[in-house]
Amino acid sequence: MNITARTSVAGVIGHPVTHSLSPVIHNAGFASLGVDWVYIALDLAPNRAQECLVGMRALGIRGLSVTMPHKTDMAHLVDEISPQARRLMSVNTLSLGIDGRITGESTDGDGLVSSLQAVGISPAERSVVMFGAGGAARSVADALLRHGCAHLDIVNRTLAAALVICDYAPDRCAAQSTNDQAAVAAAMQRGDLIINATSIGMGQPATDSTAIPFDPALLRPDQVVVDLVYHPLETALLHCAAAVGCTTVDGLGMLIHQAALQQQLWTGQFPDVQAMARAARAALDGSTSQAPQ
Ligand code: NAP
């Protein structure tokens, strides 16, 4: 990397961002494109999103990834917002136009779908069971529904949050409470694509059978099991699912693909996702805590 006065600057804003994997992933992506860009992590305290946009314009920062706790604030503050980001009221990408206007978009859900497609799995016509109804779950649900999933059961500890997601497509969605074991079992019976979008399993060893969001006895070998958690890469859920014979997909693919989509928005070019994944795996091998985006 040869940083000069002409180098374009991008970065991630969040709080905290000290352990973020994004600089490693994005700089590997920029290197794969051979573009003169550099990516840094910028700690932005809560409630300072407006000041950040002023700074971004003033300094000519070309792109920013947005992570917790700023995704919702940015959705209210940007000059332009994509339809998806508006629907979710969540922005994970800021792009500075040549006219100085800042556009907000959301690449999280499409990142998950791209990561599935990259391993030959299409969400179209699938019956999906998604555990969790937080920010990540909302973007994943939106993308799955846009990509033609046939049915989506959202299972969550707080039923009200699952019902919010049902409103995206009431004819194709159903909300279940985690406590309703019969409903969860029926959903798992219907489901062929199972997704953990809760934080359960994060930072837990793969051998910890209590760190799984549902009874693993409900799994079948014909199911695909996806975990959004990426530290550890092999979560307790994926460990159990592999033992049952399920196809498993870890959370790193989503992290890489949402970043690749951001680089495409900023540079107009799609980076080498394999190079980004290699860099991320090397960084994760050396880390001991869950890294925020
Ligand atoms: P969030 O908005 O805080 O949502 C957390 C979700 O987990 C909620 O549905 C919450 O249920 C549920 N949950 C948390 N602890 C629970 C427990 N002990 N028992 C039952 N349910 C519990 O977080 P998020 O941003 O959606 O992130 C969720 C996970 O996805 C995190 O591990 C994050 O690291 C990961 N993630 C990965 C990627 C990627 O690129 N791979 C991207 C984004 C997020 P309630 O609604 O009942 O509180």
Side-chain angles (χ1 to χ4, degrees):
M1 191 182 293
N2 181 25
I3 298 172
T4 70
R6 289 197 176 82
T7 302
S8 295
V9 177
V12 56
I13 49 160
H15 185 77
V17 284
T18 320
H19 298 292
S20 176
L21 271 181
S22 293
V24 166
I25 291 171
H26 277 279
N27 284 316
F30 287 145
S32 78
L33 290 174
V35 295
D36 187 14
W37 282 63
V38 66
Y39 188 102
I40 55 178
L42 299 162
D43 196 297
L44 183 72
N47 304 319
R48 302 198 72 170
Q50 178 80 66
E51 288 167 82
C52 169
L53 293 179
V54 173
M56 185 182 184
R57 273 190 211 95
L59 297 173
I61 294 175
R62 304 272 304 273
L64 287 172
S65 311
V66 182
T67 187
M68 283 170 59
H70 303 296
K71 288 185 177 185
T72 305
D73 286 352
M74 285 302 182
H76 291 282
L77 293 170
V78 287
D79 301 315
E80 314 275 351
I81 187 165
S82 72
Q84 272 130 274
R86 184 187 299 282
R87 191 161 47 244
L88 300 165
M89 282 318 279
S90 172
V91 159
N92 84 331
T93 313
L94 299 173
S95 307
L96 180 66
I98 47 172
D99 56 357
R101 291 177 71 75
I102 295 172
T103 303
E105 324 216 17
S106 175
T107 65
D108 281 330
D110 285 331
L112 185 270
V113 169
S114 297
S115 73
L116 291 178
Q117 290 168 338
V119 293
I121 298 165
S122 165
E125 304 304 324
R126 293 262 182 188
S127 180
V128 182
V129 186
M130 182 176 67
F131 291 84
R138 286 200 304 277
S139 60
V140 164
D142 177 68
L144 291 171
L145 292 163
R146 279 188 287 106
H147 285 83
C149 87
H151 182 78
L152 174 60
D153 280 294
I154 308 115
V155 183
N156 199 45
R157 180 176 60 178
T158 308
L159 185 61
L163 286 165
V164 167
I165 296 180
C166 276
D167 279 347
Y168 296 170
D171 53 328
R172 284 190 285 157
C173 295
Q176 322 290 354
S177 161
T178 312
N179 292 330
D180 188 341
Q181 290 177 11
V184 175
M188 288 296 289
Q189 187 65 38
R190 282 190 287 279
D192 51 40
L193 175 58
I194 315 300
I195 300 177
N196 175 35
T198 73
S199 44
I200 296 172
M202 191 166 88
Q204 303 297 316
T207 48
D208 181 354
S209 57
T210 64
I212 298 178
F214 57 89
D215 179 357
L218 296 169
L219 287 168
R220 301 186 310 272
D222 60 291
Q223 291 168 324
V224 176
V225 179
V226 182
D227 206 330
L228 266 54
V229 173
Y230 54 87
H231 190 86
L233 281 183
E234 190 199 32
T235 57
L237 170 60
L238 295 188
H239 183 75
C240 271
V244 169
C246 305
T247 301
T248 61
V249 180
D250 68 43
L252 191 59
M254 173 177 171
L255 189 64
I256 301 293
H257 280 267
Q258 60 83 27
L261 291 168
Q262 292 181 325
Q263 295 210 348
Q264 190 173 35
L265 288 167
W266 297 332
T267 69
Q269 300 176 69
F270 197 80
D272 179 348
V273 287
Q274 301 300 338
M276 296 164 88
R278 275 195 301 277
R281 281 180 197 280
L284 273 175
D285 282 347
S287 79
T288 53
S289 61
Q290 169 90 11
Q293 280 184 52

